Amino acid sequence: MEGSVDCVVVGNVPSVYPPISIKYEDSETESGEGALPDYVVELIEKEIGVDLKSLKKVSALLEKLTAENKLLEEQVLTVSSSVPLRVSAALSAAEESRVSLEGLLQRERVLSNTLIQHLQGAQPWADSLGRTLEQLDNTEKHMKYLQCLSRIEELSDSIQQCLITNSIWEAVVAVGSMASLDVGLKQSGCSHLQAFLRETLCFWHKIIKDRLAGDFEELLIQLHWPFISPPTQSLSPPANAQELHSQLELLVAQLLSLQTSDDLISETSVSRVGLPPTTPLSLPVQIMLLPLSKRFRYHFTGNRQTNSLNKPEWFLTQVLMWMGNSSNFMEEKIQPILDRNGANVNAKVELCRGLLTLAQEKLALDAPRLLYDDSLFCHLVDEILQFERELRTTHSYPSTLPGVLHVLLEEVVLQKWLTVERKMAIEKVDAMLSAEGAWSSQYKDISDMDELKAPDCAETFMTLLLVITDRYRALPCPRAQLRFLALQRELVDDFRIRLTQVMKEESRNPLGSRYCAILNAANYISTVLGDWGDNVFFLQLQQSAVALGEEELLGPLGVTESGRLASLEGSLFEGLLGLLERLRGDMLGRLLEAVMRDVQKKAQPYCRDRWLSLPSQCDQATMSLSSLACPLMLCLRDHLLQLQQMLCLPLFQMGWQDLAERLDLFLYQNVILYNHFNEGGAAQLQFDMTRNLFPLFGHYCKRPENFFKHVKEACVILCLNVGSALLLRDVLRQQPSPTSALNELGVYRLAPCDVLILLNLRASWPGK
């Protein structure tokens, strides 16, 4: 039967049997070897098993496998008959594509060869055409060059003819056209043509400008310009007022038309050393400044008595006076003409710019000569700051334009300023600390103004820092401002060290007035610096410090610290505030330790009172303070009054609260836990605490008992009646978490084990 079956395969058809593949040749080999494949063995064991009676299933199994094999053969024949047709079609399509591709490649080779031959033949023509175009381009450039020369000659002849016929307006227009041509040639690269045009422009511009300037100066004289003193209001205008006004408008308009050429010519002028770059002044204002400039140089240069290094206020005040005297004329006469001619210029500001140039040049010369005289240098700085302040406020000079503060930003001058500020500040600190009333408050007799009780030295020191801030606040350079802020931080740290040194000298008497004054000083400085940290000016400096990466001021910061400062969460004074807080905490701690030593000494007899033998409350007519508690209460009262008088309100608030907590622990540990109490002793303790001790602190808060939680809750436990005490003891012993029972009695701070200890301190138990 096996010989008649070539192969048996169970595969794609559904079957409960695993796939089987048995070949006759393999069966002989396997039989020769005496072993069957594992899947055959598994099939036999599954379908037949070891029971010989099951052999009757073999015929049915064989029929089933034969049917499955036949079905698979039919499927294989069906697939094998359809696949060759599809493969044949695909091969035919591929062959057609190959033939088409070869044809396209052949056409591409032919076209490529044809194109190469064509390009080779056309190259001589292209080269010839390129040379021709280049010649045309050069010819065009030459023609334009000649046209420019012709235009320059034409404009020059036109200007000459206009000047001969006294046609100033036409000459001004021609000069404007020449200036426009100059601007257009800037990117041409024709250096010789540009130089010729610029020389021609300068020649005619100077002639026309001189003529117009002469006429304008004569007209200004008739209008009483310049106003050296405050102008007086005339009763009636001059007879030719209308004619003068017409001439003024004409001349200003003509001068404005020369502005473009004047700006071009002024580009070649050498910039002033040490002064900030500025745009050229309006041409009419330049001419109006000439008489003022002559007067300034006459009085404030050379060997004149008015040219004094120790009197910079003379020329600065003179400049301010000229600004004020000329203000109305510029606004009422000149500004309307500028507006009608479309000049986007503020006449008053332009005049101030010109006068500022005189002051800037003078200051730039004088400042380096005063570096070796501290007194004169400080006077110069003060005058410059005052001048800048008045310039911005009284004369409304725009903040976008530079004033005279840039003179102080020169590195040598700025470094000298910082050095002098440091030197003078240290000298003032030495003087104020050695003064007789250094540690007393100047407002001690005025209760409303003496809340912080700052000693005079601390208040004077912070005023000194505030003055320094006001001096450098107006500087236009954030980096320079940050250098002054670093100086202020250095001075604060130096003053803190001085306070620490004086504190160590006074530490033997922490209850003395000077010790408390030092503590008030540290608190006052810390409070003011905290307010400065929220000030807009210092917040802006903080952002500038982060943006500029000032490591000298900020120190080595990590990403987190830099982010906090950039988001304004931190402060530039955080380090100093931390040091001052530590000093304040240490000093307040020493002060309270001294108070507690005195209180503990007075409390020793009270700690050893006969709490077991005191009469019960029902045996006394009225309860009164224990006699042994009187020294303790008096000592405590005196110290509280003393601290209230000597410490500022914030420190006193911190002090009495800390003192109350210390006293609470002391009484709990040394009076309550140290003794046993009968009913009368517990009642006396509760009376002493609730009716005498707590009211001492009742002057400073509404519920002083909240600061004596140990003592208050211990009194509650000790004063329980016997039944409640027994019940509470049973609850504490039986329940693992008796918190609710304690809370019902008002006990929140003491732990259950502490309550058991207190219950054991009671002497009034049944059977005792």
Side-chain angles (χ1 to χ4, degrees), residues 148-149 152 155-156 159 175 177-187 190-207 260-269:
C148 286
L149 284 175
I152 295 171
L155 289 173
S156 181
I159 294 171
V175 169
S177 301
M178 192 177 292
S180 300
L181 184 59
D182 188 300
V183 174
L185 287 177
K186 277 188 175 181
Q187 304 298 328
C190 302
S191 56
H192 297 291
L193 181 61
Q194 285 180 279
F196 172 71
L197 175 57
R198 181 61 59 88
E199 290 177 2
T200 307
L201 177 63
C202 291
F203 175 78
W204 291 119
H205 174 83
K206 184 178 184 304
I207 292 175
T260 303
S261 58
D262 193 73
D263 291 345
L264 287 174
I265 294 171
S266 62
E267 287 180 356
T268 59
S269 61

mmCIF file of all heavy atoms in Angstrom, residues 148-149 152 155-156 159 175 177-187 190-207 260-269:
data_model
loop_
_atom_site.group_PDB
_atom_site.id
_atom_site.type_symbol
_atom_site.label_atom_id
_atom_site.label_comp_id
_atom_site.label_asym_id
_atom_site.label_seq_id
_atom_site.Cartn_x
_atom_site.Cartn_y
_atom_site.Cartn_z
ATOM 1 N N CYS A 148 27.607 112.830 -17.795
ATOM 2 C CA CYS A 148 27.753 113.359 -16.432
ATOM 3 C C CYS A 148 28.626 114.605 -16.439
ATOM 4 O O CYS A 148 28.309 115.611 -15.783
ATOM 5 C CB CYS A 148 28.348 112.287 -15.513
ATOM 6 S SG CYS A 148 27.196 110.979 -15.060
ATOM 7 N N LEU A 149 29.742 114.529 -17.186
ATOM 8 C CA LEU A 149 30.608 115.702 -17.273
ATOM 9 C C LEU A 149 29.859 116.878 -17.884
ATOM 10 O O LEU A 149 29.963 118.020 -17.416
ATOM 11 C CB LEU A 149 31.849 115.374 -18.109
ATOM 12 C CG LEU A 149 32.935 114.520 -17.436
ATOM 13 C CD1 LEU A 149 34.039 114.179 -18.433
ATOM 14 C CD2 LEU A 149 33.525 115.264 -16.242
ATOM 15 N N ILE A 152 27.467 118.215 -15.357
ATOM 16 C CA ILE A 152 28.163 119.008 -14.338
ATOM 17 C C ILE A 152 28.505 120.386 -14.892
ATOM 18 O O ILE A 152 28.309 121.412 -14.230
ATOM 19 C CB ILE A 152 29.430 118.268 -13.863
ATOM 20 C CG1 ILE A 152 29.055 116.969 -13.140
ATOM 21 C CG2 ILE A 152 30.259 119.154 -12.939
ATOM 22 C CD1 ILE A 152 30.239 116.063 -12.836
ATOM 23 N N LEU A 155 25.313 122.415 -15.199
ATOM 24 C CA LEU A 155 24.857 122.940 -13.908
ATOM 25 C C LEU A 155 25.775 124.045 -13.413
ATOM 26 O O LEU A 155 25.313 125.053 -12.855
ATOM 27 C CB LEU A 155 24.785 121.800 -12.879
ATOM 28 C CG LEU A 155 23.670 120.766 -13.076
ATOM 29 C CD1 LEU A 155 23.824 119.611 -12.106
ATOM 30 C CD2 LEU A 155 22.301 121.420 -12.918
ATOM 31 N N SER A 156 27.079 123.856 -13.645
ATOM 32 C CA SER A 156 28.029 124.880 -13.200
ATOM 33 C C SER A 156 27.803 126.197 -13.950
ATOM 34 O O SER A 156 27.791 127.278 -13.341
ATOM 35 C CB SER A 156 29.460 124.370 -13.410
ATOM 36 O OG SER A 156 30.403 125.320 -12.973
ATOM 37 N N ILE A 159 24.629 127.793 -12.670
ATOM 38 C CA ILE A 159 24.800 128.451 -11.372
ATOM 39 C C ILE A 159 25.512 129.788 -11.552
ATOM 40 O O ILE A 159 25.140 130.807 -10.955
ATOM 41 C CB ILE A 159 25.574 127.526 -10.409
ATOM 42 C CG1 ILE A 159 24.754 126.274 -10.086
ATOM 43 C CG2 ILE A 159 25.934 128.261 -9.127
ATOM 44 C CD1 ILE A 159 25.525 125.211 -9.330
ATOM 45 N N VAL A 175 22.304 123.871 -7.478
ATOM 46 C CA VAL A 175 23.212 123.229 -6.512
ATOM 47 C C VAL A 175 22.561 121.982 -5.933
ATOM 48 O O VAL A 175 23.216 120.949 -5.718
ATOM 49 C CB VAL A 175 23.596 124.228 -5.394
ATOM 50 C CG1 VAL A 175 24.295 123.506 -4.257
ATOM 51 C CG2 VAL A 175 24.493 125.311 -5.948
ATOM 52 N N SER A 177 20.443 120.042 -7.509
ATOM 53 C CA SER A 177 20.547 119.010 -8.551
ATOM 54 C C SER A 177 21.944 118.420 -8.587
ATOM 55 O O SER A 177 22.132 117.203 -8.769
ATOM 56 C CB SER A 177 20.182 119.597 -9.911
ATOM 57 O OG SER A 177 18.865 120.107 -9.908
ATOM 58 N N MET A 178 22.952 119.275 -8.427
ATOM 59 C CA MET A 178 24.332 118.793 -8.407
ATOM 60 C C MET A 178 24.566 117.882 -7.199
ATOM 61 O O MET A 178 25.271 116.853 -7.296
ATOM 62 C CB MET A 178 25.290 119.989 -8.384
ATOM 63 C CG MET A 178 26.746 119.619 -8.653
ATOM 64 S SD MET A 178 27.828 121.065 -8.707
ATOM 65 C CE MET A 178 27.246 121.853 -10.212
ATOM 66 N N ALA A 179 23.969 118.215 -6.068
ATOM 67 C CA ALA A 179 24.108 117.365 -4.876
ATOM 68 C C ALA A 179 23.430 116.015 -5.099
ATOM 69 O O ALA A 179 23.950 114.967 -4.692
ATOM 70 C CB ALA A 179 23.503 118.068 -3.660
ATOM 71 N N SER A 180 22.265 116.017 -5.770
ATOM 72 C CA SER A 180 21.585 114.754 -6.073
ATOM 73 C C SER A 180 22.431 113.895 -6.996
ATOM 74 O O SER A 180 22.498 112.661 -6.845
ATOM 75 C CB SER A 180 20.227 115.027 -6.716
ATOM 76 O OG SER A 180 19.408 115.792 -5.854
ATOM 77 N N LEU A 181 23.095 114.532 -7.995
ATOM 78 C CA LEU A 181 23.986 113.806 -8.889
ATOM 79 C C LEU A 181 25.154 113.213 -8.116
ATOM 80 O O LEU A 181 25.578 112.074 -8.374
ATOM 81 C CB LEU A 181 24.480 114.745 -9.986
ATOM 82 C CG LEU A 181 25.361 114.127 -11.072
ATOM 83 C CD1 LEU A 181 24.631 113.009 -11.797
ATOM 84 C CD2 LEU A 181 25.815 115.198 -12.060
ATOM 85 N N ASP A 182 25.663 113.943 -7.130
ATOM 86 C CA ASP A 182 26.753 113.444 -6.284
ATOM 87 C C ASP A 182 26.317 112.196 -5.525
ATOM 88 O O ASP A 182 27.056 111.206 -5.421
ATOM 89 C CB ASP A 182 27.188 114.550 -5.319
ATOM 90 C CG ASP A 182 28.442 114.173 -4.545
ATOM 91 O OD1 ASP A 182 28.412 113.158 -3.820
ATOM 92 O OD2 ASP A 182 29.458 114.894 -4.646
ATOM 93 N N VAL A 183 25.106 112.225 -4.991
ATOM 94 C CA VAL A 183 24.594 111.057 -4.258
ATOM 95 C C VAL A 183 24.449 109.862 -5.194
ATOM 96 O O VAL A 183 24.773 108.718 -4.827
ATOM 97 C CB VAL A 183 23.237 111.405 -3.603
ATOM 98 C CG1 VAL A 183 22.611 110.166 -2.970
ATOM 99 C CG2 VAL A 183 23.405 112.494 -2.561
ATOM 100 N N GLY A 184 23.990 110.098 -6.437
ATOM 101 C CA GLY A 184 23.815 108.996 -7.374
ATOM 102 C C GLY A 184 25.108 108.364 -7.823
ATOM 103 O O GLY A 184 25.128 107.194 -8.232
ATOM 104 N N LEU A 185 26.213 109.106 -7.773
ATOM 105 C CA LEU A 185 27.502 108.570 -8.223
ATOM 106 C C LEU A 185 28.286 107.858 -7.122
ATOM 107 O O LEU A 185 29.396 107.386 -7.365
ATOM 108 C CB LEU A 185 28.367 109.707 -8.777
ATOM 109 C CG LEU A 185 27.962 110.279 -10.147
ATOM 110 C CD1 LEU A 185 28.871 111.439 -10.513
ATOM 111 C CD2 LEU A 185 28.035 109.192 -11.216
ATOM 112 N N LYS A 186 27.717 107.755 -5.936
ATOM 113 C CA LYS A 186 28.468 107.178 -4.817
ATOM 114 C C LYS A 186 28.864 105.727 -5.081
ATOM 115 O O LYS A 186 29.951 105.296 -4.706
ATOM 116 C CB LYS A 186 27.638 107.262 -3.532
ATOM 117 C CG LYS A 186 27.738 108.609 -2.835
ATOM 118 C CD LYS A 186 27.062 108.554 -1.472
ATOM 119 C CE LYS A 186 27.268 109.876 -0.721
ATOM 120 N NZ LYS A 186 26.647 109.845 0.617
ATOM 121 N N GLN A 187 27.973 104.959 -5.714
ATOM 122 C CA GLN A 187 28.238 103.545 -5.951
ATOM 123 C C GLN A 187 28.808 103.267 -7.344
ATOM 124 O O GLN A 187 28.921 102.111 -7.748
ATOM 125 C CB GLN A 187 26.929 102.748 -5.780
ATOM 126 C CG GLN A 187 26.245 102.941 -4.445
ATOM 127 C CD GLN A 187 27.103 102.481 -3.284
ATOM 128 O OE1 GLN A 187 27.877 101.533 -3.423
ATOM 129 N NE2 GLN A 187 26.976 103.144 -2.137
ATOM 130 N N CYS A 190 33.530 105.603 -10.037
ATOM 131 C CA CYS A 190 34.280 106.595 -10.833
ATOM 132 C C CYS A 190 34.869 107.629 -9.875
ATOM 133 O O CYS A 190 34.282 108.707 -9.649
ATOM 134 C CB CYS A 190 33.368 107.259 -11.860
ATOM 135 S SG CYS A 190 32.586 106.098 -13.003
ATOM 136 N N SER A 191 35.998 107.307 -9.309
ATOM 137 C CA SER A 191 36.561 108.149 -8.251
ATOM 138 C C SER A 191 36.951 109.532 -8.772
ATOM 139 O O SER A 191 36.730 110.543 -8.093
ATOM 140 C CB SER A 191 37.778 107.463 -7.627
ATOM 141 O OG SER A 191 38.743 107.157 -8.622
ATOM 142 N N HIS A 192 37.523 109.603 -9.981
ATOM 143 C CA HIS A 192 37.949 110.901 -10.517
ATOM 144 C C HIS A 192 36.737 111.784 -10.827
ATOM 145 O O HIS A 192 36.752 112.997 -10.553
ATOM 146 C CB HIS A 192 38.791 110.706 -11.781
ATOM 147 C CG HIS A 192 40.072 109.965 -11.514
ATOM 148 N ND1 HIS A 192 41.105 110.505 -10.792
ATOM 149 C CD2 HIS A 192 40.472 108.700 -11.874
ATOM 150 C CE1 HIS A 192 42.090 109.627 -10.710
ATOM 151 N NE2 HIS A 192 41.741 108.520 -11.366
ATOM 152 N N LEU A 193 35.702 111.163 -11.393
ATOM 153 C CA LEU A 193 34.492 111.918 -11.681
ATOM 154 C C LEU A 193 33.850 112.413 -10.380
ATOM 155 O O LEU A 193 33.388 113.551 -10.290
ATOM 156 C CB LEU A 193 33.521 111.045 -12.473
ATOM 157 C CG LEU A 193 32.204 111.701 -12.889
ATOM 158 C CD1 LEU A 193 32.477 112.896 -13.800
ATOM 159 C CD2 LEU A 193 31.288 110.689 -13.571
ATOM 160 N N GLN A 194 33.822 111.535 -9.371
ATOM 161 C CA GLN A 194 33.258 111.933 -8.086
ATOM 162 C C GLN A 194 34.052 113.087 -7.466
ATOM 163 O O GLN A 194 33.471 114.031 -6.922
ATOM 164 C CB GLN A 194 33.259 110.737 -7.121
ATOM 165 C CG GLN A 194 32.193 109.686 -7.415
ATOM 166 C CD GLN A 194 32.265 108.537 -6.432
ATOM 167 O OE1 GLN A 194 33.087 107.642 -6.572
ATOM 168 N NE2 GLN A 194 31.397 108.571 -5.448
ATOM 169 N N ALA A 195 35.378 112.981 -7.536
ATOM 170 C CA ALA A 195 36.204 114.041 -6.952
ATOM 171 C C ALA A 195 35.965 115.369 -7.673
ATOM 172 O O ALA A 195 35.861 116.432 -7.030
ATOM 173 C CB ALA A 195 37.677 113.651 -7.031
ATOM 174 N N PHE A 196 35.880 115.324 -9.029
ATOM 175 C CA PHE A 196 35.635 116.548 -9.795
ATOM 176 C C PHE A 196 34.277 117.155 -9.431
ATOM 177 O O PHE A 196 34.149 118.372 -9.230
ATOM 178 C CB PHE A 196 35.707 116.227 -11.300
ATOM 179 C CG PHE A 196 35.285 117.369 -12.175
ATOM 180 C CD1 PHE A 196 36.091 118.497 -12.310
ATOM 181 C CD2 PHE A 196 34.070 117.332 -12.862
ATOM 182 C CE1 PHE A 196 35.701 119.554 -13.120
ATOM 183 C CE2 PHE A 196 33.676 118.384 -13.658
ATOM 184 C CZ PHE A 196 34.486 119.492 -13.795
ATOM 185 N N LEU A 197 33.264 116.276 -9.344
ATOM 186 C CA LEU A 197 31.929 116.759 -9.000
ATOM 187 C C LEU A 197 31.908 117.345 -7.584
ATOM 188 O O LEU A 197 31.305 118.405 -7.349
ATOM 189 C CB LEU A 197 30.919 115.607 -9.115
ATOM 190 C CG LEU A 197 29.489 115.900 -8.670
ATOM 191 C CD1 LEU A 197 28.912 117.080 -9.444
ATOM 192 C CD2 LEU A 197 28.605 114.666 -8.843
ATOM 193 N N ARG A 198 32.589 116.681 -6.628
ATOM 194 C CA ARG A 198 32.579 117.174 -5.249
ATOM 195 C C ARG A 198 33.293 118.521 -5.145
ATOM 196 O O ARG A 198 32.838 119.424 -4.433
ATOM 197 C CB ARG A 198 33.244 116.140 -4.324
ATOM 198 C CG ARG A 198 33.273 116.544 -2.860
ATOM 199 C CD ARG A 198 31.861 116.735 -2.293
ATOM 200 N NE ARG A 198 31.051 115.537 -2.387
ATOM 201 C CZ ARG A 198 31.031 114.584 -1.448
ATOM 202 N NH1 ARG A 198 31.802 114.705 -0.373
ATOM 203 N NH2 ARG A 198 30.245 113.537 -1.585
ATOM 204 N N GLU A 199 34.403 118.674 -5.897
ATOM 205 C CA GLU A 199 35.107 119.963 -5.877
ATOM 206 C C GLU A 199 34.227 121.077 -6.467
ATOM 207 O O GLU A 199 34.165 122.187 -5.927
ATOM 208 C CB GLU A 199 36.411 119.850 -6.661
ATOM 209 C CG GLU A 199 37.462 118.990 -5.977
ATOM 210 C CD GLU A 199 38.712 118.847 -6.833
ATOM 211 O OE1 GLU A 199 38.740 119.463 -7.919
ATOM 212 O OE2 GLU A 199 39.636 118.121 -6.418
ATOM 213 N N THR A 200 33.564 120.745 -7.573
ATOM 214 C CA THR A 200 32.678 121.740 -8.186
ATOM 215 C C THR A 200 31.527 122.100 -7.243
ATOM 216 O O THR A 200 31.167 123.281 -7.087
ATOM 217 C CB THR A 200 32.112 121.200 -9.506
ATOM 218 O OG1 THR A 200 33.194 120.770 -10.346
ATOM 219 C CG2 THR A 200 31.301 122.250 -10.224
ATOM 220 N N LEU A 201 30.955 121.074 -6.608
ATOM 221 C CA LEU A 201 29.851 121.300 -5.674
ATOM 222 C C LEU A 201 30.303 122.162 -4.495
ATOM 223 O O LEU A 201 29.597 123.110 -4.100
ATOM 224 C CB LEU A 201 29.310 119.950 -5.190
ATOM 225 C CG LEU A 201 28.188 120.005 -4.149
ATOM 226 C CD1 LEU A 201 26.954 120.687 -4.730
ATOM 227 C CD2 LEU A 201 27.836 118.591 -3.668
ATOM 228 N N CYS A 202 31.462 121.844 -3.940
ATOM 229 C CA CYS A 202 31.965 122.625 -2.804
ATOM 230 C C CYS A 202 32.202 124.086 -3.208
ATOM 231 O O CYS A 202 31.921 125.017 -2.431
ATOM 232 C CB CYS A 202 33.261 122.008 -2.276
ATOM 233 S SG CYS A 202 33.055 120.419 -1.470
ATOM 234 N N PHE A 203 32.721 124.268 -4.418
ATOM 235 C CA PHE A 203 33.018 125.625 -4.881
ATOM 236 C C PHE A 203 31.751 126.474 -4.924
ATOM 237 O O PHE A 203 31.687 127.565 -4.338
ATOM 238 C CB PHE A 203 33.684 125.547 -6.272
ATOM 239 C CG PHE A 203 33.927 126.879 -6.898
ATOM 240 C CD1 PHE A 203 34.998 127.667 -6.494
ATOM 241 C CD2 PHE A 203 33.069 127.361 -7.897
ATOM 242 C CE1 PHE A 203 35.215 128.910 -7.085
ATOM 243 C CE2 PHE A 203 33.286 128.597 -8.482
ATOM 244 C CZ PHE A 203 34.359 129.374 -8.063
ATOM 245 N N TRP A 204 30.750 125.981 -5.634
ATOM 246 C CA TRP A 204 29.516 126.772 -5.773
ATOM 247 C C TRP A 204 28.729 126.830 -4.460
ATOM 248 O O TRP A 204 28.094 127.848 -4.163
ATOM 249 C CB TRP A 204 28.641 126.197 -6.889
ATOM 250 C CG TRP A 204 29.234 126.385 -8.254
ATOM 251 C CD1 TRP A 204 29.595 125.422 -9.142
ATOM 252 C CD2 TRP A 204 29.535 127.631 -8.880
ATOM 253 N NE1 TRP A 204 30.110 125.960 -10.282
ATOM 254 C CE2 TRP A 204 30.084 127.342 -10.160
ATOM 255 C CE3 TRP A 204 29.429 128.968 -8.518
ATOM 256 C CZ2 TRP A 204 30.498 128.313 -11.042
ATOM 257 C CZ3 TRP A 204 29.829 129.949 -9.396
ATOM 258 C CH2 TRP A 204 30.361 129.622 -10.639
ATOM 259 N N HIS A 205 28.753 125.720 -3.708
ATOM 260 C CA HIS A 205 28.039 125.709 -2.424
ATOM 261 C C HIS A 205 28.592 126.780 -1.492
ATOM 262 O O HIS A 205 27.824 127.504 -0.834
ATOM 263 C CB HIS A 205 28.152 124.324 -1.769
ATOM 264 C CG HIS A 205 27.572 124.265 -0.378
ATOM 265 N ND1 HIS A 205 26.229 124.086 -0.145
ATOM 266 C CD2 HIS A 205 28.161 124.383 0.849
ATOM 267 C CE1 HIS A 205 26.012 124.081 1.163
ATOM 268 N NE2 HIS A 205 27.163 124.264 1.783
ATOM 269 N N LYS A 206 29.905 126.903 -1.442
ATOM 270 C CA LYS A 206 30.513 127.895 -0.550
ATOM 271 C C LYS A 206 30.137 129.320 -0.969
ATOM 272 O O LYS A 206 29.819 130.175 -0.135
ATOM 273 C CB LYS A 206 32.031 127.728 -0.542
ATOM 274 C CG LYS A 206 32.746 128.653 0.429
ATOM 275 C CD LYS A 206 34.234 128.392 0.425
ATOM 276 C CE LYS A 206 34.929 129.251 1.479
ATOM 277 N NZ LYS A 206 34.666 130.692 1.320
ATOM 278 N N ILE A 207 30.150 129.552 -2.289
ATOM 279 C CA ILE A 207 29.813 130.904 -2.766
ATOM 280 C C ILE A 207 28.373 131.266 -2.395
ATOM 281 O O ILE A 207 28.101 132.341 -1.833
ATOM 282 C CB ILE A 207 30.035 130.999 -4.289
ATOM 283 C CG1 ILE A 207 31.534 130.897 -4.616
ATOM 284 C CG2 ILE A 207 29.455 132.294 -4.844
ATOM 285 C CD1 ILE A 207 31.838 130.858 -6.096
ATOM 286 N N THR A 260 21.094 119.544 1.686
ATOM 287 C CA THR A 260 21.648 118.290 1.154
ATOM 288 C C THR A 260 23.112 118.443 0.791
ATOM 289 O O THR A 260 23.961 117.609 1.164
ATOM 290 C CB THR A 260 20.851 117.838 -0.083
ATOM 291 O OG1 THR A 260 19.473 117.690 0.263
ATOM 292 C CG2 THR A 260 21.386 116.514 -0.611
ATOM 293 N N SER A 261 23.440 119.502 0.047
ATOM 294 C CA SER A 261 24.845 119.711 -0.334
ATOM 295 C C SER A 261 25.700 120.004 0.897
ATOM 296 O O SER A 261 26.860 119.573 0.988
ATOM 297 C CB SER A 261 24.945 120.854 -1.342
ATOM 298 O OG SER A 261 24.393 122.043 -0.799
ATOM 299 N N ASP A 262 25.149 120.705 1.854
ATOM 300 C CA ASP A 262 25.915 121.000 3.069
ATOM 301 C C ASP A 262 26.204 119.725 3.843
ATOM 302 O O ASP A 262 27.307 119.549 4.395
ATOM 303 C CB ASP A 262 25.128 121.983 3.944
ATOM 304 C CG ASP A 262 25.991 122.576 5.039
ATOM 305 O OD1 ASP A 262 26.860 123.418 4.730
ATOM 306 O OD2 ASP A 262 25.816 122.175 6.215
ATOM 307 N N ASP A 263 25.227 118.800 3.907
ATOM 308 C CA ASP A 263 25.449 117.527 4.600
ATOM 309 C C ASP A 263 26.512 116.700 3.897
ATOM 310 O O ASP A 263 27.342 116.042 4.538
ATOM 311 C CB ASP A 263 24.137 116.737 4.671
ATOM 312 C CG ASP A 263 23.120 117.395 5.597
ATOM 313 O OD1 ASP A 263 23.518 118.283 6.378
ATOM 314 O OD2 ASP A 263 21.928 117.022 5.532
ATOM 315 N N LEU A 264 26.503 116.724 2.534
ATOM 316 C CA LEU A 264 27.519 115.968 1.798
ATOM 317 C C LEU A 264 28.913 116.508 2.082
ATOM 318 O O LEU A 264 29.875 115.747 2.272
ATOM 319 C CB LEU A 264 27.233 116.045 0.293
ATOM 320 C CG LEU A 264 26.045 115.224 -0.219
ATOM 321 C CD1 LEU A 264 25.798 115.533 -1.695
ATOM 322 C CD2 LEU A 264 26.318 113.738 -0.027
ATOM 323 N N ILE A 265 29.048 117.806 2.103
ATOM 324 C CA ILE A 265 30.364 118.411 2.334
ATOM 325 C C ILE A 265 30.827 118.168 3.761
ATOM 326 O O ILE A 265 32.006 117.912 4.017
ATOM 327 C CB ILE A 265 30.294 119.916 2.022
ATOM 328 C CG1 ILE A 265 30.032 120.114 0.533
ATOM 329 C CG2 ILE A 265 31.580 120.617 2.437
ATOM 330 C CD1 ILE A 265 29.740 121.549 0.153
ATOM 331 N N SER A 266 29.875 118.197 4.722
ATOM 332 C CA SER A 266 30.255 118.008 6.134
ATOM 333 C C SER A 266 30.662 116.575 6.426
ATOM 334 O O SER A 266 31.277 116.302 7.458
ATOM 335 C CB SER A 266 29.093 118.406 7.046
ATOM 336 O OG SER A 266 27.960 117.579 6.803
ATOM 337 N N GLU A 267 30.337 115.626 5.512
ATOM 338 C CA GLU A 267 30.758 114.238 5.718
ATOM 339 C C GLU A 267 32.272 114.111 5.732
ATOM 340 O O GLU A 267 32.833 113.253 6.413
ATOM 341 C CB GLU A 267 30.196 113.340 4.609
ATOM 342 C CG GLU A 267 28.711 113.072 4.730
ATOM 343 C CD GLU A 267 28.229 112.191 3.602
ATOM 344 O OE1 GLU A 267 29.046 111.874 2.718
ATOM 345 O OE2 GLU A 267 27.043 111.823 3.602
ATOM 346 N N THR A 268 32.937 114.938 4.999
ATOM 347 C CA THR A 268 34.396 114.833 4.900
ATOM 348 C C THR A 268 35.106 115.496 6.068
ATOM 349 O O THR A 268 36.317 115.357 6.213
ATOM 350 C CB THR A 268 34.876 115.481 3.593
ATOM 351 O OG1 THR A 268 34.467 116.868 3.586
ATOM 352 C CG2 THR A 268 34.258 114.787 2.397
ATOM 353 N N SER A 269 34.351 116.236 6.892
ATOM 354 C CA SER A 269 34.995 116.909 8.023
ATOM 355 C C SER A 269 35.385 115.902 9.088
ATOM 356 O O SER A 269 34.760 114.850 9.245
ATOM 357 C CB SER A 269 34.046 117.955 8.619
ATOM 358 O OG SER A 269 32.874 117.323 9.083
#
